[in-house]
C-alpha cells in the first residue's frame, strides 16, 4: 500500500467504525433508557404518592422519609451478589428477572395501610431491583470502550430526568383522575398502573438483549471483530480478574464509593422531595405540581448530554464532575434561602442539572481502571455503598423537616455533601481516570 492510499483507507476505516458504533448505539441504548425510565419511576413515585398517601394513612414526614430510604437497605444487601450473578448468567436472564420481580412488588403498594407494611414493601422493592443499575453499567462496558463511555452513560442516564419530565405529570394525572375509582385512592391506582410496564418489558428483555458481542445476530462478522478488538485494547492495563476479597481491599474502590455516596445524597434528596418542595412553593393541584416538577428535569437532560460529549471529546473526567457538583451545591443553598417561588424553581433546576449530570459522568471514573469480573464486583460495591445515601438522604430530610418545620436544613445538608464530593474528586489522580 502506498502513502497515497493511506488517507483514503484511514477515512474508510473511520467511517466503518463510526457506522458500527452508531448501529450498536441505536440497538442497545434507547432500549436501556426505556428500561431505566420505568425503573426510576417505580423507585421514586413514592415521592408523588406522598402528596395523598401521608394524609390518607397518617404518615409523618419521618415515617415517609424512613420508608423511602429503606429501599436502599434492601438494595445494599443484594447488590454485589446480584451483579456477580448477572456477569455469570448473562444480562438478558438476570435483568428480565429483576424487572418482573420489582414490577410485582411495586404493585403490592396498593395494599399498604400501616407504616410497617410500607417499610416492608420498600425494603422488598430494594431487594428486587438490586443489581439493575450497576448491571446496566457493566453491560455497557461489554460493548463500548472507555473513551466512548461517558457520552453513552450520560445518554442512558438521561432516563432519570426523562422519567421526571413524563413521570411526574403522569403520576399527578393518575392520582387526580383515578382518585375514588372503585372506592380506592389515586395513589393506589398509580402504583399498580406504573408497575405494569416493568413486568411487560421484563419479558421483552429476555428476547431482545444479547449477552455479548459474539451473540449479536444483527452484527456482521467484520462489525463483531471491530468491537471485540476495541474492547480487548481498552482492557489492557486494567484490573480484570480478581477475587471479591481483593476488590474489597482496593482503596480506590472505597474512594469511588465515598464520592458516589456524596453525589447520591444530592440526587435522591432532590428526586424524593421535589414534589413536596414544589408544593411548598405555592403550586396547587397534583397535575400542576407534576408539570412544574418536570422543569428541573428538562434542564438536566440538556446539561447531562452536553457534559457527557465534552468529557469524551476532551478525555477529561474530574473537572466535568467537580463543576456540576458545585453548581448543584449552590442551587440547593439558593433554594433554601430564597422567598421567591420563581427563583426557587430556577435554583432547583440548577441543582437538578448539576447533580443528575454528576451521576453518569461519575461511572467513567471506576470503569477507567477496572473491567471484567473485577468490574462486576467493583461496580456493585461502589453502587451499593454509594446508594446507602439513598437511605440517609430522604430519612435525614424528613427528620429535619419534622424537627425544624422547614426544608432549609435539609437543603444545606445536600449542598455540603456535594461540596465534599467535589473535593474528593479533585483529590483523585487525573492519570487514574482520564482515559
Amino acid at each position: 500500500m502506498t502513502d497515497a492510499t493511506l488517507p483514503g483507507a484511514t477515512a474508510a476505516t473511520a467511517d466503518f467504525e463510526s457506522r458500527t458504533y452508531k448501529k450498536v448505539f441505536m440497538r442497545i441504548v434507547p432500549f436501556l433508557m426505556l428500561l431505566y425510565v420505568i425503573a426510576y419511576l417505580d423507585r421514586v413515585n413514592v415521592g408523588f404518592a406522598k402528596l395523598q398517601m401521608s394524609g390518607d394513612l397518617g404518615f409523618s414526614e419521618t415515617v415517609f422519609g424512613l420508608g423511602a430510604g429503606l429501599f436502599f437497605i434492601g438494595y445494599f444487601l443484594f447488590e454485589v451478589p446480584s451483579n456477580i450473578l448477572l456477569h455469570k448468567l448473562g444480562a438478558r436472564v438476570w435483568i428480565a428477572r429483576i424487572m418482573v420481580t420489582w414490577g410485582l412488588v411495586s404493585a403490592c403498594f396498593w395494599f399498604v395501610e400501616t407504616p410497617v407494611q410500607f417499610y416492608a414493601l420498600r425494603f422488598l422493592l430494594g431487594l428486587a431491583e438490586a443489581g439493575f443499575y450497576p448491571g446496566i453499567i457493566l453491560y455497557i462496558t461489554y460493548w463500548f470502550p472507555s473513551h466512548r463511555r461517558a457520552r453513552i452513560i450520560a445518554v442512558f442516564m438521561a432516563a432519570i430526568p426523562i422519567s421526571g419530565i413524563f413521570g411526574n405529570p403522569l403520576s399527578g394525572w393518575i392520582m387526580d383522575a383515578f382518585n375514588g375509582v372503585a372506592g380506592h385512592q389515586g395513589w393506589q391506582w398509580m402504583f399498580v398502573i406504573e408497575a405494569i410496564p416493568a413486568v411487560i418489558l421484563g419479558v421483552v428483555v429476555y428476547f431482545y438483549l444479547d449477552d455479548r458481542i459474539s451473540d449479536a445476530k444483527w452484527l456482521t462478522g467484520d462489525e463483531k471483530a471491530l468491537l471485540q478488538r476495541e474492547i480487548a485494547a481498552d482492557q489492557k492495563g486494567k484490573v480484570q480478574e480478581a477475587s471479591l476479597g481483593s476488590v474489597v481491599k482496593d482503596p480506590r474502590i472505597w474512594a469511588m464509593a465515598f464520592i458516589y455516596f456524596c453525589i447520591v445524597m444530592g440526587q435522591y434528596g432532590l428526586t424524593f422531595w421535589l414534589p413536596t418542595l414544589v408544593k411548598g412553593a405555592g403550586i396547587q393541584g397534583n397535575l400542576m405540581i407534576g408539570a412544574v416538577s418536570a422543569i428541573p428535569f428538562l434542564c438536566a437532560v440538556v446539561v447531562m448530554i452536553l457534559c457527557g460529549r465534552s468529557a469524551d471529546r476532551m478525555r477529561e473526567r474530574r473537572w466535568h464532575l467537580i463543576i456540576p457538583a458545585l453548581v448543584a451545591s449552590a442551587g440547593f443553598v439558593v433554594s433554601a434561602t430564597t422567598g421567591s417561588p420563581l427563583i426557587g424553581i430556577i435554583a432547583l433546576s440548577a441543582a437538578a442539572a448539576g447533580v443528575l449530570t454528576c451521576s453518569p459522568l461519575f461511572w467513567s471514573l471506576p470503569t477507567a481502571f477496572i473491567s471484567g469480573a473485577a468490574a462486576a464486583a467493583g461496580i456493585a460495591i461502589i453502587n451499593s455503598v454509594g446508594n446507602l445515601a439513598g437511605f440517609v438522604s430522604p430519612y435525614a430530610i424528613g427528620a429535619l423537616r419534622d424537627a425544624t418545620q422547614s426544608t432549609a436544613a435539609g437543603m444545606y445538608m445536600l449542598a455540603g455533601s456535594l461540596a465534599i464530593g467535589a473535593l474528593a474528586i479533585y483529590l483523585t489522580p487525573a492519570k487514574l481516570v482520564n482515559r
Side-chain angles (χ1 to χ4, degrees):
M1 182 179 293
T2 65
D3 290 342
T5 63
L6 283 174
T10 301
T13 300
D15 181 63
F16 175 69
E17 181 177 321
S18 176
R19 285 187 286 107
T20 299
Y21 275 108
K22 183 178 180 180
K23 185 177 182 179
V24 175
F25 175 91
M26 294 305 299
R27 169 77 184 193
I28 294 176
V29 178
F31 183 68
L32 296 181
M33 284 182 67
L34 176 61
L35 301 185
Y36 199 39
V37 165
I38 301 303
Y40 207 81
L41 181 60
D42 285 345
R43 181 185 301 184
V44 303
N45 60 6
V46 68
F48 238 96
K50 174 185 178 292
L51 300 177
Q52 287 181 349
M53 195 177 188
S54 291
D56 290 344
L57 303 180
F59 289 177
S60 69
E61 302 290 327
T62 303
V63 167
F64 169 76
L66 176 59
L70 277 171
F71 169 94
F72 296 95
I73 300 300
Y75 200 82
F76 170 78
L77 292 174
F78 199 51
E79 184 86 324
V80 174
S82 179
N83 221 36
I84 292 173
L85 284 169
L86 182 145
H87 185 65
K88 291 182 177 180
L89 299 178
R92 67 191 189 100
V93 170
W94 200 244
I95 292 175
R97 192 285 304 165
I98 289 172
M99 295 193 68
V100 171
T101 306
W102 100 53
L104 295 175
V105 173
S106 185
C108 288
F109 278 84
W110 171 285
F111 302 104
V112 168
E113 295 180 350
T114 69
V116 172
Q117 292 172 341
F118 181 52
Y119 296 156
L121 281 175
R122 287 294 295 176
F123 177 79
L124 289 174
L125 188 64
L127 281 180
E129 196 184 318
F132 176 79
Y133 175 77
I136 295 295
I137 298 298
L138 179 63
Y139 186 68
I140 288 172
T141 69
Y142 296 163
W143 298 85
F144 297 96
S146 296
H147 66 274
R148 295 178 180 270
R149 211 169 285 154
R151 179 173 55 183
I152 298 300
I153 295 175
V155 172
F156 161 66
M157 288 193 64
I160 295 178
I162 288 172
S163 72
I165 293 167
F166 295 103
N168 284 354
L170 175 65
S171 297
W173 175 79
I174 291 172
M175 286 170 60
D176 283 342
F178 285 79
N179 195 37
V181 173
H184 295 286
Q185 303 302 315
W187 59 267
Q188 292 176 297
W189 285 108
M190 184 199 70
F191 279 121
V192 171
I193 291 171
E194 293 182 355
I196 293 171
V199 177
I200 295 173
L201 285 171
V203 177
V204 174
V205 163
Y206 181 80
F207 296 99
Y208 186 81
L209 286 186
D210 296 293
D211 289 329
R212 56 187 65 85
I213 294 171
S214 59
D215 294 336
K217 296 179 181 179
W218 45 273
L219 290 172
T220 67
D222 288 342
E223 289 168 342
K224 291 179 182 179
L226 167 68
L227 296 172
Q228 290 168 333
R229 187 166 59 248
E230 289 255 310
I231 294 297
D234 183 63
Q235 290 177 348
K236 289 181 179 179
K238 294 184 181 182
V239 178
Q240 296 187 45
E241 298 302 326
S243 66
L244 179 59
S246 65
V247 174
V248 169
K249 293 176 183 178
D250 189 336
R252 300 174 302 176
I253 297 296
W254 292 102
M256 294 294 106
F258 176 76
I259 292 170
Y260 195 51
F261 184 94
C262 293
I263 292 171
V264 173
M265 282 286 290
Q267 178 181 329
Y268 284 111
L270 176 80
T271 52
F272 277 124
W273 288 95
L274 184 58
T276 299
L277 295 173
V278 171
K279 184 177 181 180
I283 307 300
Q284 299 297 317
N286 292 324
L287 180 58
M288 184 57 65
I289 291 171
V292 174
S293 297
I295 294 173
F297 294 111
L298 280 167
C299 298
V301 169
V302 176
V303 176
M304 286 172 71
I305 294 174
L306 290 177
C307 283
R309 289 179 177 176
S310 176
D312 276 349
R313 184 176 64 253
M314 299 176 67
R315 298 206 179 187
E316 196 287 324
R317 309 301 176 188
R318 295 189 309 155
W319 286 104
H320 281 83
L321 272 165
I322 292 170
I323 293 173
L326 294 177
V327 168
S329 179
F332 281 124
V333 170
V334 174
S335 71
T337 55
T338 184
S340 165
L342 176 60
I343 295 176
I345 294 300
I346 293 172
L348 287 172
S349 296
V355 75
L356 294 177
T357 294
C358 287
S359 294
L361 293 183
F362 165 79
W363 289 105
S364 63
L365 303 186
T367 57
F369 60 84
I370 54 174
S371 65
I379 291 172
I381 290 170
I382 293 166
N383 195 60
S384 60
V385 173
N387 268 288
L388 285 176
F391 169 76
V392 174
S393 183
Y395 177 59
I397 292 175
L400 287 170
R401 276 176 58 86
D402 277 340
T404 65
Q405 302 302 307
S406 169
T407 60
M411 297 302 101
Y412 294 145
M413 177 189 70
L414 301 182
S417 175
L418 287 162
I420 292 170
L423 176 61
I425 296 165
Y426 177 76
L427 296 175
T428 302
K431 63 182 181 180
L432 179 67
V433 297
N434 285 345
R435 296 189 58 170

